[in-house]
Every structure is written in structure tokens, then in C-alpha cells.
Amino acid sequence: MAHHDRHFPFPFFGAGEAGYYMWAEVHVRFAREPTASQRAAIADTVPAPLRGALDWCEGRQLMVSSGLSLHGAVVRSYPAAGDSDRIDDDGWLHAAPSRIAGLNADIEGWLLRIDRECPVLAAYRAEDPDGGGTRLSDWHAWSLARLPDLLPELEPLLGRASHATSMARGVLAMARRAGSPPPAWRTGLGHDLLAG
């Protein structure tokens, strides 16, 4: 994974080793609206388990999701490396940890690849407490430090009803859970959500 002194190409809130219960979802906000050919290239490279839904909104916002069959798609997409899949007491399949690690690596690789296609402003993956949460990486920590610069972009999204709104609210909620925001965050943009 990443090192604290490393510079990352864009903020990725929720970066790290994510656990998933039934589904996964990743949001991407681009620095500008991708062209039709760029959208096609971006869609063609979405990791297989996240191809259950692909939704563009507001021109610059993309959401990809697995649907409720994430673990089955992960089992079909990635080999296990010495560990086993399991069925829980409720009958739900859970892919082997090595398979989940493959998905997490593919998500990061995909984000880096699409940033070369059309610059990414920020990406977001919510933590799934039912799936064990996320062992957040240095990329996530670096991203939180860049949030003040993103607030002018995120704040206008808060009053809407779209995937972009979900991402903005999720990012600000992550910042709130990470601890006390810097003094500049305590008033102005995003204050209400950061405050609680």
C-alpha cells in the first residue's frame, strides 16, 4: 500500500482494504465532463464485480455498483490464494479474503487508469460496517488533508438528490468521523454536516 510521504494523483476517500457484506459501490467525480469516447473507455474498464450498475449523472459524476450479488461476482472474477470462500449462518456467500483483496486492488488500478483517460477530481467508497469496514490506507489519509480544497466543489452538491449528493455527504461524514476538522472547516462550506 501507500506511504505517508507519497503524493497521490487525486483524493480517494475510503481507499484501503475494504470489506463488503452484500454489495459494493464506488463514486467518481471528474474534473471535467468526459467526452463520449472517454465515457465508453471508462465504462469498458470497470472491474467486473462492479458492472451491476453504471450511472452517469450531472455530466461529471459516475457511480458503479455490484448489486446484491457482489461475492458471487468476486468468486467468478478472482482466484483464491490459499484461503476459502464461506457461507454464513444466513446462507450468504462470502468470497475468500484473497479474492476481496483482488477486487480492492482492481478498484484502485481502475481509478488510476481512468484518471489518465479523463482527470478524476475525487473518488469515494463508503465503509461497509456489516462487511467489517475498511482498513483505511495512506491514500485515504492524504485525501482527508485535501478536503478543504474540495469543499467549494462538494458543497453545491449537498442540496441535490443524486449520486453526486451521496458522494458529497459520504465524504463529509468520513471527515467528521476522522476527528475534529481543521479550524477553517468549522464555519462555511459543509459546516452543518461536519458538525454532526
Side-chain angles (χ1 to χ4, degrees):
M1 277 290 153
H3 297 88
H4 286 292
D5 60 350
R6 182 168 172 201
H7 174 78
F8 298 95
F10 54 85
F12 177 19
F13 300 93
E17 290 301 319
Y20 308 95
Y21 183 55
M22 290 190 281
W23 61 279
E25 183 176 282
V26 176
H27 297 259
V28 182
R29 186 151 186 93
F30 291 91
R32 61 170 172 74
E33 187 170 344
T35 65
S37 63
Q38 288 171 328
R39 283 184 183 216
I42 289 164
D44 286 347
T45 59
V46 172
L50 298 181
R51 293 182 184 165
L54 188 145
D55 186 27
W56 290 95
C57 73
E58 301 184 14
R60 297 170 43 203
Q61 187 79 23
L62 172 65
M63 185 277 305
V64 294
S65 173
S66 65
L68 293 179
S69 59
L70 171 68
H71 287 272
V74 169
V75 166
R76 290 186 299 278
S77 299
Y78 303 99
D83 50 2
S84 300
D85 306 318
R86 66 178 177 80
I87 306 289
D88 70 12
D89 294 339
D90 294 333
W92 285 99
L93 169 68
H94 293 272
S98 60
R99 295 184 202 264
I100 295 298
L103 171 61
N104 287 330
D106 266 5
I107 290 170
E108 288 192 7
W110 174 68
L111 290 171
L112 293 170
R113 189 166 39 257
I114 66 174
D115 181 57
R116 292 188 299 269
E117 188 69 41
C118 182
V120 171
L121 180 72
Y124 165 72
R125 176 181 54 201
E127 290 188 81
D128 183 348
D130 293 329
T134 301
R135 195 170 67 243
L136 297 165
S137 70
D138 292 344
W139 193 355
H140 171 80
W142 179 89
S143 301
L144 287 174
R146 270 102 200 120
L147 183 55
D149 294 334
L150 288 174
L151 286 177
E153 176 79 28
L154 297 177
E155 191 271 340
L157 305 175
L158 295 173
R160 302 178 188 168
S162 70
H163 293 301
T165 305
S166 297
M167 176 178 169
R169 290 183 179 277
V171 166
L172 293 175
M174 280 184 156
R176 186 181 63 240
R177 287 192 305 272
S180 218
W185 298 8
R186 295 179 197 269
T187 59
L189 301 173
H191 174 264
D192 292 341
L193 192 54
L194 283 168

